[in-house]
């Protein structure tokens, strides 16, 4: 008979992990825990569809243009609908907002109104779908500020500092869910054979030694002198910094996930020439703030070049921002260059 040895490490499903985290908070009612369950379930569903994208008729652009002026892929709509329909009737959410919708998404009439607000980017990096590169879902959960009736715009326009939970799902060579509720950043990998997310990356901290920097060099012509000089600094043109290698997918979740696990930083600066992107391309509410919350709890930092992303109070639902995120020392250095050369 073969000698079978078992690895002594515990197998922890996402359900068990979330429940254990809930027990740390005696005041918890379980509502948040259930929202996380539903998001994990949405992730499984979206993952199952994305892996079939190359096979099925759902691949390809629809005729719709979303409010960001981008062509909407069918998978985006599917992901958007999945998250909405898993959360619209549960009595846990007061209002939702999605990167795919111009306006707030109210809870349909007849369903109970809850105390949390859910903002999400259902399928970020969707221009990569055709090329089989990593894409992802980003979510942000706040407590509502108003006390009764349907959730409002005020409930949605909160600074990232108020986040209760944020996380993302990455659909890559494996599917992962990474989230924080303020006590550590934890990563779970989907075992497709049993359909469970298992804890594979407990207490993620951004490695102290930065490995890569990540940015779209194709936009350099539109960058300010401070951003250009900072980029040269990262490339080792000054004696206090050894050159870093560069990696860029063009899918924020993929680029951020690599940064979180390998160390380094991602940045998408403000665009000085394109009047449509004076504040950068990325969305504060759906992309920058939730990832900034994760970076913060993993020992990192996120900035718009001047301020901590978590302190920015959004004025509109689809507000854009410049984003520098990852290793604290590198992001602070970016701020230093921008303040010195661009003011
Ligand atoms: P898509 O969802 O249109 O692919 O946009 C992805 C994204 O918002 C973000 O995920 C990337 O970091 C960024 O845009 C890439 O932008 P560039 O193509 O301009 O580098």
């Amino acid at each position: 008979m073969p000698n079978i040895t078992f690895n002594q490490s515990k197998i922890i499903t996402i359900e068990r992990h979330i429940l254990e985290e809930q027990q740390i908070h005696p005041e918890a009612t379980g509502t948040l825990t259930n929202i996380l369950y539903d998001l994990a379930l949405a992730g499984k569903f979206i993952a199952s569809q994305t892996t079939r994208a190359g096979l099925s008729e759902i691949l390809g652009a629809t005729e719709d243009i979303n409010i960001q002026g981008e062509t909407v892929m069918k998978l985006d709509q599917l992901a958007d609908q999945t998250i909405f329909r898993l959360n619209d009737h549960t009595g846990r959410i007061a209002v939702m907002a999605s990167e795919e919708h111009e306006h707030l998404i109210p809870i349909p009439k007849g369903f109970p109104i809850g105390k949390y607000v859910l903002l999400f980017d259902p399928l970020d990096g969707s221009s990569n779908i055709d090329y089989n590169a990593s894409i992802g879902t980003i979510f942000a959960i706040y407590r509502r500020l108003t006390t009764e009736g349907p959730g409002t715009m005020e409930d949605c326009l909160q600074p990232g500092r108020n986040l209760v939970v944020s996380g993302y799902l990455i659909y890559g060579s494996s599917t992962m869910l990474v989230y924080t509720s303020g006590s550590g950043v934890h990563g779970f990998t989907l075992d497709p054979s049993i359909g469970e997310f298992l804890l594979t990356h407990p207490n993620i901290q951004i490695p102290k030694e930065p490995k890569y920097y990540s940015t779209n060099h194709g936009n350099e012509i539109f960058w300010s002198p401070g951003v250009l000089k900072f980029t040269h600094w990262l490339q080792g043109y000054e004696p206090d910094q050894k050159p870093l290698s560069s990696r860029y997918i063009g899918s924020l979740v993929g680029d951020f996930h690599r940064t979180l696990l390998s160390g380094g930083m991602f940045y998408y600066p403000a665009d000085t020439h394109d009047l449509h992107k004076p504040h950068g391309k990325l969305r504060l509410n759906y992309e920058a703030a939730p990832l900034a919350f994760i970076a913060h709890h993993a020992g990192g930092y996120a900035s718009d070049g001047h301020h901590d992303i978590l302190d920015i109070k959004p004025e509109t639902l689809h507000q854009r921002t410049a984003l520098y995120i990852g290793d604290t020392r590198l992001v602070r250095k970016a701020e230093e260059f921008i303040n010195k050369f661009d003011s």
Side-chain angles (χ1 to χ4, degrees), residues 70 123-128 216 219 248 250-253 255 266 268 277 281-283 287:
E70 303 155 335
L123 212 56
D124 185 67
S126 51
S127 60
N128 283 301
N216 184 347
N219 293 330
Y248 189 71
S251 170
L252 180 60
V253 174
D255 285 315
F266 167 92
Y268 203 110
K277 294 190 215 163
K281 175 183 179 187
L282 302 176
R283 295 80 173 168
E287 296 175 308

Side-chain angles (χ1 to χ4, degrees), residues 104-118:
L104 295 181
I105 314 172
I107 299 302
K109 280 202 168 45
F111 291 137
I113 306 282
K115 59 180 177 185
Y116 289 100
V117 176
L118 175 63

Side-chain angles (χ1 to χ4, degrees), residues 222-240:
F222 305 121
W223 290 351
S224 63
V227 175
L228 283 170
K229 282 185 199 297
F230 169 65
T231 305
H232 288 155
W233 180 82
L234 286 173
Q235 292 167 338
Y237 280 85
E238 290 184 28
D240 63 329

